[in-house]
Amino acid sequence: MPSPVIVSAVRTAIGRSFKGSLVNTPSEKLATWILEAAVQRSGLDPEKFDDVIFAELNYGGGDLARHAAVVAGYEHLPGQAVNRHCAGSLTAIGNASAQIVSGMERAIVAGGVQSLSTAPLMKWRIPKAGEFNFIEPWMPPSHPETPDAPAIDMAITVGWNTAQKAGITREEMDAWAVRSHERAIAAIDEGRFVDEILPIKVELADGSITEFAVDEFPRRGTTMEALAGLKVLHPEIEGFSITAGNSSGINDAAAAVAIVGDDLAAEEGLESLATVKAWGASAVAPRDTGFGAVAVIGKILDRAGLKASDVALWEINEAFASVPIAACREYGIDEELVNVSGSGCSLGHPISASGARQVTTLINDLKRRGGGIGVSAMCAGGGQGGAVVIEV
């Protein structure tokens, strides 16, 4: 039975949706560029890849993975679209790994793409006989809406509900966010992201062309005083503690990994960057969506036969700062080992790309520290959670 190994891992820099460097770069271009880069960096002949699996969200359908394969000239590659909301590209990596272990496929590119800046607007017909009235714009709900779990407002469903349940204060969340920005800026300044980022030529809002190769969401000089001055997102709710500062960004990006069987890697003389040891998903009640990350960490550790103390580094997505704080408290995780190069509050959260971005960064951070076990985990819309365990 072959083991799934990652032979390339690459991402774009992360842009600010609607006003950043990727504002005029559609999902199709991001998907094509990241697919080509993952294949080229793997060292494997493109003809020997079997499939492409890309997560996509709010794209409107169309199968980005197949579209990218055709544009890249890989017409022999089918494409699979995955949607598990925030955890989509972690699920894509899991699906690819399962195919490799099964022996049905030998080489797959897996990842995710998000361009909120160019995402289509949808409308929904209100069902009523003989009438054609629409809600526009409309977003498909991740779960049936309830007062304590709005279907669209994740500031309540994830950020606030998690903070309340875990007893996390605004000051604790703000402190986590400040550290996230500090870590992201340090990673940029030290050149830690250079090898993992694919520089791309993009058209800016004014029509000019530039090379985009540096994450643009982290803020230099972020302080507790600055975050304390931000208004809460729901002032009508007594004690509400979620602000734009302790929440993730709204972002565009793409990320992908090439996964092959260890037997094929040996045959082709490919460098193995990491072994995928376990993958999985779980779910909790929608009102506890932030705890989807907590639940899936327990499941994935058990599945991999590991304890939290066995893990060298963690990537726990900062959809809201309350989520990684809750996970650290649940499992006694040392916060110094979590998101060491920043995360959602600082780098941003390009939804469908975030999981593959985390795995890409995790590989490189583990390599710099001499290897070990890494866990990438996150909550996802509707009360879901997804996780992947790797070893470098």
Side-chain angles (χ1 to χ4, degrees):
M1 180 184 299
S3 295
V5 297
I6 296 173
V7 293
S8 73
V10 60
R11 68 178 180 93
T12 67
I14 301 170
R16 288 177 175 270
S17 296
F18 309 114
K19 55 185 177 182
S21 297
L22 296 179
V23 67
N24 290 329
T25 304
S27 296
E28 293 86 354
K29 284 189 175 182
L30 291 173
T32 302
W33 292 336
I34 211 67
L35 170 60
E36 291 174 330
V39 170
Q40 291 166 5
R41 293 186 181 201
S42 74
L44 184 65
D45 185 334
E47 292 296 320
K48 294 188 177 181
F49 279 89
D50 299 301
D51 204 354
V52 186
I53 306 175
F54 278 167
E56 56 183 64
L57 178 68
N58 292 336
Y59 171 62
D63 194 347
L64 275 173
R66 174 56 181 167
H67 189 285
V70 173
V71 176
Y74 310 149
E75 292 188 343
H76 68 290
L77 290 180
Q80 180 185 136
V82 169
N83 182 359
R84 202 187 296 276
H85 296 277
C86 303
S89 53
L90 289 180
T91 296
I93 290 171
N95 289 353
S97 298
Q99 287 282 69
I100 298 299
V101 171
S102 74
M104 293 296 100
E105 311 288 10
R106 301 192 77 192
I108 299 173
V109 174
V113 181
Q114 194 73 55
S115 174
L116 291 174
S117 293
T118 66
L121 295 177
M122 291 179 261
K123 65 180 181 180
W124 179 72
R125 178 176 168 257
I126 303 169
K128 191 171 183 179
E131 294 185 10
F132 286 83
N133 298 314
F134 295 86
I135 296 174
E136 184 180 4
W138 175 78
M139 182 183 295
S142 59
H143 60 272
E145 184 157 335
T146 60
D148 60 352
I152 304 300
D153 191 347
M154 295 297 111
I156 295 175
T157 304
V158 180
W160 174 239
N161 287 356
T162 302
Q164 288 290 96
K165 186 171 182 177
I168 302 168
T169 67
R170 174 174 174 174
E171 289 72 23
E172 289 170 321
M173 291 184 284
D174 285 352
W176 186 286
V178 168
R179 185 175 58 182
S180 182
H181 281 277
E182 291 172 346
R183 289 178 170 183
I185 292 297
I188 291 170
D189 290 349
E190 294 168 14
R192 278 187 252 156
F193 296 142
V194 171
D195 290 342
E196 68 189 54
I197 289 179
L198 171 71
I200 54 178
K201 297 288 187 182
V202 298
E203 179 184 342
L204 301 181
D206 62 5
S208 63
I209 304 296
T210 189
E211 182 176 86
F212 182 50
V214 178
D215 299 311
E216 64 187 9
F217 195 72
R219 291 182 178 272
R220 294 181 182 274
T222 300
T223 64
M224 285 292 289
E225 292 74 22
L227 294 194
L230 297 176
K231 295 180 179 179
V232 299
L233 299 180
H234 284 283
E236 76 282 3
I237 299 176
E238 184 178 356
F240 201 79
S241 55
I242 307 303
T243 71
N246 54 41
S247 307
S248 60
I250 300 173
N251 304 95
D252 306 327
V257 300
I259 305 175
V260 307
D262 58 348
D263 54 346
L264 180 60
E267 290 172 18
E268 298 289 334
L270 306 179
E271 180 186 4
S272 173
L273 304 179
T275 300
V276 183
K277 306 293 288 185
W279 54 90
S282 63
V284 295
R287 68 176 177 275
D288 294 325
T289 293
F291 276 84
V294 177
V296 78
I297 286 172
K299 180 176 181 177
I300 204 75
L301 289 176
D302 182 65
R303 182 169 285 180
L306 298 169
K307 303 183 297 295
S309 58
D310 296 323
V311 180
L313 286 179
W314 301 78
E315 285 278 340
I316 305 174
N317 186 42
E318 297 162 2
F320 295 84
S322 56
V323 175
I325 295 174
C328 287
R329 289 184 179 180
E330 179 72 18
Y331 297 103
I333 299 170
D334 182 353
E335 294 181 358
E336 293 301 314
L337 302 179
V338 182
N339 304 341
V340 297
S341 295
S343 185
C345 288
S346 54
L347 291 172
H349 181 19
I351 307 169
S352 291
S354 287
R357 194 286 303 164
Q358 288 188 174
V359 170
T360 297
T361 302
L362 190 57
I363 288 171
N364 288 285
D365 280 335
L366 282 167
K367 185 177 180 180
R368 274 185 287 272
R369 294 177 177 226
I373 297 290
V375 173
S376 174
M378 59 178 62
C379 63
Q384 302 178 91
V388 168
V389 179
I390 63 171
E391 183 172 15
V392 173

